Amino acid sequence: MSKSIQPRTRKVRILATLGPASSTVEMIAKLFDAGADAFRVNMSHGDQESKIPLIQAIRSLEKTYGRPTTILADLQGPKLRVGKFEGGRTMLETGKTFTLDRDPTPGDATRVELPHREIFAAIARDARLLLDDGKLVLRVTDHSDDRIETVVEVGGALSNSKGLNVPDVVLPMAALTEKDRSDLAFAVEQGVDWIALSFVQRPEDLAEARKLIGGKTALLAKIEKPSAVARLEEIVEACDGVMVARGDLGVELPPQSVPPMQKRIVETARRLGRPVVVATQMLESMITSPSPTRAEVSDVATAVYDGADAIMLSAESAAGQWPIESVAMMNAIADAVERDPAHGDRVHFTVTRPDPTTADALAEAAKTIAATVSAKAIVCFTMSGSTARRIARERPAVPIMVLTPRHETARRLGLLWGSHAVHTRDVESFEEMVAKAKRMALRHNLAKGGDRIVVCAGVPFGVPGSTNVLHVVQIIGDELKGYKDGN
């Protein structure tokens, strides 16, 4: 027996990262109870075998709660690192010269190995090299096929295998490493709902992942490099969703550039009808503290006001001391913002003009009609989820109930703003569609007797992308009589 099929009242989704602090069935269920709508499995840490119990635990929630669960597998991506030093570390002095080369001999204060041939081929004079999450800054003065000469602009301690960022050039590197390809194949085999691709630089980076996925899961592009921002619209159009990955984006861009960049990415994704996740350091202090800073609360609120589809917790829920409290706090902030009477106006600051298609016209009309007749919900029937995404793009004031015969579609919609997905048998006639929409709205407590709902679907039924019907119906209240199952 399912524990509850009461939909979330909030429309923004919460994506919680799992890790050492949240790896048991009991803890994952507590995170779900606290407000998590979807779960991120980080492939950067641990081996593949360790992910199987996590995925099984997430899926087990479906029977307990009577609703689909959503799993995002986040690939590590290509990690650039310097080589090793004599004694394990050195000190780079500001104003001194420093060389990166192909020599594997342990480095010192004047040089170190850079084991990435692609950087030597692409680097340019005056380009910056950022070390250890941007703590140290080098400026390229000269370069050849096996040496990069730099001057240290910001010095400091540097130890073995520290990370390297190259923000000023597009590197001729594949977005997928051998580890990523293996992890992607594993994730697809395990039936995850989303694959997140790290360090996307250009739309072409998505092509290989698309081919390997083979249509079995949705593809999310993490925007964390300035080169990706330069081709943002093309990248968004080439994927199923995007993430504002503010960690590396904040390393490669000046800190003051990240907030306007975040708004630009969110606006572009919304305009093009792709779910957008805002991530990294949202409640960072709650890794060690039971309460967030006021600045963090404001940061989460801003993403909700901007109309992001989902907001994400990273280490807060994966490795922090207060994982349940972090999710509950994010849930409370989102609830408070969405209750603000000004929230609706702010969410619609982004203009989402419909494409000249029947489906887009009906999605826009569904929002308007729901507001005009004071409908309690929009109920849409969909095979692929495209109808739901179109309606969500309009950010209606009422919940979107998504009825689909495909488990895969229902699960992917866990990152979609305002949606409550239900896996159910397909309908075969207009009358059956109307009757099922009424039953489901009652069963899931979205409406009661006397309420109106707006129903959106495509005829003929079962054909993806054929949305062409919009219907307003009033619920009597006795539609569930004689129906004992979930359909």
Side-chain angles (χ1 to χ4, degrees):
M1 185 70 181
S2 65
K3 187 173 180 179
S4 170
I5 53 174
Q6 183 72 29
R8 308 279 195 205
T9 56
R10 98 184 113 68
K11 295 182 173 68
V12 68
R13 308 289 87 178
I14 293 176
L15 175 60
T17 302
L18 300 183
S22 51
S23 57
T24 65
V25 175
E26 294 75 20
M27 180 58 78
I28 293 170
K30 287 177 181 178
L31 295 182
F32 187 89
D33 276 330
D37 301 288
F39 297 94
R40 170 177 173 251
V41 176
N42 190 352
M43 303 306 294
S44 297
H45 305 296
D47 59 20
Q48 292 175 359
E49 287 298 312
S50 69
K51 311 302 180 192
I52 295 175
L54 287 181
I55 292 169
Q56 291 174 341
I58 298 166
R59 290 294 188 229
S60 73
L61 298 177
E62 294 189 337
K63 289 184 179 179
T64 305
Y65 293 89
R67 68 176 67 179
T69 55
T70 303
I71 303 172
L72 179 144
D74 195 338
L75 304 181
Q76 178 175 287
K79 291 287 187 181
L80 304 177
R81 300 185 185 279
V82 297
K84 300 187 183 304
F85 293 93
E86 190 74 46
R89 60 187 291 118
T90 192
M91 182 67 68
L92 302 191
E93 292 187 33
T94 301
K96 295 292 183 68
T97 60
F98 188 74
T99 301
L100 300 114
D101 56 35
R102 305 288 301 283
D103 182 357
T105 305
D108 53 29
T110 65
R111 61 154 296 278
V112 74
E113 179 194 13
L114 181 60
H116 300 286
R117 185 190 303 270
E118 302 89 345
I119 299 178
F120 292 89
I123 202 67
R125 188 181 177 89
D126 286 333
R128 290 170 301 151
L129 299 176
L130 311 179
L131 298 165
D132 193 10
D133 289 336
K135 297 183 181 70
L136 290 77
V137 181
L138 312 179
R139 180 77 63 174
V140 177
T141 57
D142 199 5
H143 60 94
S144 66
D145 291 343
D146 56 9
R147 291 174 68 84
I148 300 174
E149 307 288 349
T150 74
V151 63
V152 180
E153 290 193 344
V154 178
L158 184 62
S159 55
N160 290 344
S161 305
K162 284 297 182 182
L164 173 77
N165 292 78
V166 190
D168 300 331
V169 297
V170 176
L171 298 176
M173 298 179 68
L176 291 170
T177 64
E178 283 303 315
K179 171 178 165 56
D180 293 330
R181 292 185 187 93
S182 174
D183 287 342
L184 187 151
F186 165 80
V188 171
E189 181 184 330
Q190 292 296 314
V192 307
D193 310 298
W194 288 84
I195 297 283
L197 190 60
S198 297
F199 300 109
V200 174
Q201 297 186 92
R202 56 206 156 217
E204 293 81 3
D205 288 342
L206 299 164
E208 183 184 2
R210 275 274 188 226
K211 184 177 179 181
L212 292 172
I213 287 170
K216 295 177 182 177
T217 187
L219 179 60
L220 182 141
K222 294 170 67 177
I223 309 299
E224 49 196 331
K225 294 186 73 64
S227 52
V229 176
R231 300 183 66 182
L232 180 61
E233 194 152 319
E234 295 172 83
I235 290 172
V236 174
E237 287 180 334
C239 65
D240 301 304
V242 295
M243 179 185 291
V244 189
R246 302 182 304 180
D248 276 271
L249 198 58
V251 171
E252 300 206 0
L253 287 172
Q256 66 272 19
S257 298
V258 175
M261 194 58 67
Q262 173 179 320
K263 288 184 179 293
R264 180 182 164 191
I265 297 167
V266 171
E267 186 273 335
T268 302
R270 285 194 52 198
R271 181 166 45 81
L272 295 176
R274 304 295 193 276
V276 55
V277 181
V278 176
T280 319
Q281 297 179 330
M282 299 208 80
L283 295 175
E284 182 86 351
S285 66
M286 289 193 74
I287 295 171
T288 56
S289 169
S291 60
T293 67
R294 300 301 177 266
E296 289 167 340
V297 172
S298 181
D299 180 41
V300 173
T302 294
V304 179
Y305 277 121
D306 287 345
D309 290 81
I311 43 183
M312 190 180 100
L313 292 166
S314 300
E316 302 96 325
S317 59
Q321 298 174 22
W322 309 93
I324 299 168
E325 292 80 0
S326 297
V327 173
M329 177 56 66
M330 187 168 265
N331 181 70
I333 298 166
D335 272 339
V337 169
E338 292 186 3
R339 285 196 302 269
D340 179 2
H343 172 255
D345 291 336
R346 290 179 180 274
V347 162
H348 289 105
F349 280 171
T350 296
V351 178
T352 53
R353 293 186 177 88
D355 294 331
T357 64
T358 302
D360 269 23
L362 290 180
E364 185 181 41
K367 179 194 76 170
T368 304
I369 292 170
T372 302
V373 304
S374 299
K376 295 298 183 182
I378 297 171
V379 181
C380 73
F381 290 79
T382 182
M383 290 288 286
S384 66
S386 63
T387 302
R389 288 192 297 273
R390 285 185 167 98
I391 295 171
R393 186 177 75 160
E394 302 302 323
R395 298 298 190 257
V398 297
I400 306 164
M401 171 174 266
V402 187
L403 304 181
T404 178
R406 298 184 62 200
H407 273 296
E408 298 84 358
T409 297
R411 289 164 171 165
R412 289 179 195 178
L413 294 175
L415 291 183
L416 186 68
W417 188 94
S419 66
H420 176 67
V422 179
H423 175 253
T424 182
R425 289 193 296 269
D426 202 5
V427 295
E428 296 179 357
S429 70
F430 183 84
E431 292 75 16
E432 188 183 356
M433 173 192 79
V434 172
K436 176 167 280 194
K438 292 161 110 179
R439 291 198 306 274
M440 288 300 183
L442 281 170
R443 192 183 302 280
H444 291 256
N445 302 305
L446 287 173
K448 59 184 187 298
D451 290 338
R452 289 188 177 96
I453 58 173
V454 176
V455 184
C456 196
V459 177
F461 295 101
V463 179
S466 64
T467 304
N468 55 11
V469 172
L470 194 61
H471 188 63
V472 181
V473 62
Q474 188 166 28
I475 293 174
I476 296 172
D478 62 358
E479 286 85 354
L480 289 176
K481 287 182 181 177
Y483 286 90
K484 294 182 180 180
D485 65 6
N487 289 279

